[in-house]
Every structure is written in structure tokens, then in C-alpha cells.
Amino acid sequence: MLDINPHCEKYLRENLKKHPHLNLREFICGSAENIHQVQSGSVDVVVSSRTLCSLDESKALKEIFRVLKHNGKLVFEEHIISSSRTWRIIQQFLSISKISKTLCFGCRLNKEIISAISQAGFHKVQHKRIDQSFSLAGQLQPYVVGTATKP
């Protein structure tokens, strides 16, 4: 498992005790933009949950693509830019002014994640867009869930 937060490992190990059928090979504290500790073509599945919005997504996706095996899967849940013109303008302003980096834990709200995944070389990109509308934060941060396959 890879996580940028070093405190995550403690909680991960505690939760693994509750699920003895799961096996953790290694915990790596680091960023998806540079996973040099992981061999190329050695991973079956990468799960990315609201991560790419706060990284250089092209670097991260290049590394994810590198470590995945042939036919390996990227499973993702990521923030995306709104389909509403008004909210898209707000997202763009918050991202360009870097206000969103402070208010949204480093998230840049104006990302085109699906395009980035396709441009990274993934095939069979399947996704479902989920537009939240119950809160301001939800309006600013619709998200997408899906899978993509390394050919």
C-alpha cells in the first residue's frame, strides 16, 4: 500500500487485524508521482480515491501505468470539474487563485481526470459521473468512479 500520510500505516494495520483474509505485502510512505520502490509490471490493481486532484496527475498516472501488470486495473474515485457552467467558473477561480489548495486539502478543483487517464495510455476506461447537489462542497466537487485497464 502507498500513502503519503505516514500516520495511515497505524490505522491500516489495526484494520487489517479485523480482516485476516487480507494480506499486506508492504506499506510505502510516499507519493504516487514517484513509486520507484515498486517494480514495473508487478501490481494487479491500483485504487485511487480522491488523490489525483491534489497531484500532478500526468506524473502519477504514468507511474501507476508503469507498475501495473498487463491487463492490470486502475480503480478510481476522483473529484472532477463540474458540468455546471457557474460552478465550473467558481472551480477555475478557486484553483487558479490557489484558494482551493488551502480550503480543500490540496485539491485542485479544475481537473479533467477522465481525459488524463485516457491520455496516460489506459484502455477500457469506464466511469460514472456523480454530481452531488446537497451542499456547497458537493456542488464544487462532483466526482467520478470507474475503472481503466492497462493494455
Side-chain angles (χ1 to χ4, degrees):
M1 179 174 165
L2 172 74
D3 200 293
I4 200 158
N5 183 346
H7 304 290
C8 178
E9 183 176 12
K10 174 185 170 190
Y11 299 107
L12 172 67
R13 295 202 183 276
E14 287 173 6
N15 280 311
L16 281 172
K17 290 176 187 173
K18 299 173 191 172
H19 305 280
H21 61 285
L22 296 176
N23 183 22
L24 174 66
R25 186 181 310 171
E26 181 180 5
F27 178 86
I28 300 170
C29 184
S31 171
E33 296 163 317
N34 181 7
I35 322 172
H36 65 275
Q37 307 93 320
V38 180
Q39 268 187 336
S40 297
S42 65
V43 176
D44 294 311
V45 177
V46 171
V47 177
S48 178
S49 178
R50 300 186 185 213
T51 304
L52 296 173
C53 59
S54 59
L55 300 174
D56 178 332
E57 72 275 12
S58 62
K59 284 183 182 178
L61 288 165
K62 182 178 178 182
E63 278 291 271
I64 290 168
F65 192 88
R66 180 187 66 78
V67 301
L68 280 171
K69 293 178 179 178
H70 171 67
N71 286 324
K73 300 280 186 211
L74 168 62
V75 179
F76 56 90
E77 175 198 28
E78 296 291 343
H79 295 134
I80 54 174
I81 195 157
S82 178
S83 57
S84 160
R85 184 176 187 275
T86 302
W87 286 110
R88 195 172 329 118
I89 291 168
I90 292 168
Q91 286 176 307
Q92 294 285 11
F93 169 75
L94 292 173
S95 295
I96 292 167
S97 67
K98 300 187 179 174
I99 293 171
S100 68
K101 284 192 89 164
T102 302
L103 293 179
C104 303
F105 307 102
C107 180
R108 289 177 304 248
L109 306 171
N110 60 347
K111 298 274 186 146
E112 297 281 357
I113 297 298
I114 297 303
S115 296
I117 291 170
S118 296
Q119 289 171 6
F122 287 94
H123 292 200
K124 300 178 187 171
V125 180
Q126 300 175 334
H127 65 279
K128 178 181 177 184
R129 181 185 182 92
I130 300 168
D131 286 300
Q132 300 172 332
S133 59
F134 58 87
S135 69
L136 178 61
Q139 283 287 353
L140 288 173
Q141 297 181 356
Y143 62 100
V144 63
V145 294
T147 61
T149 304
K150 178 180 177 179

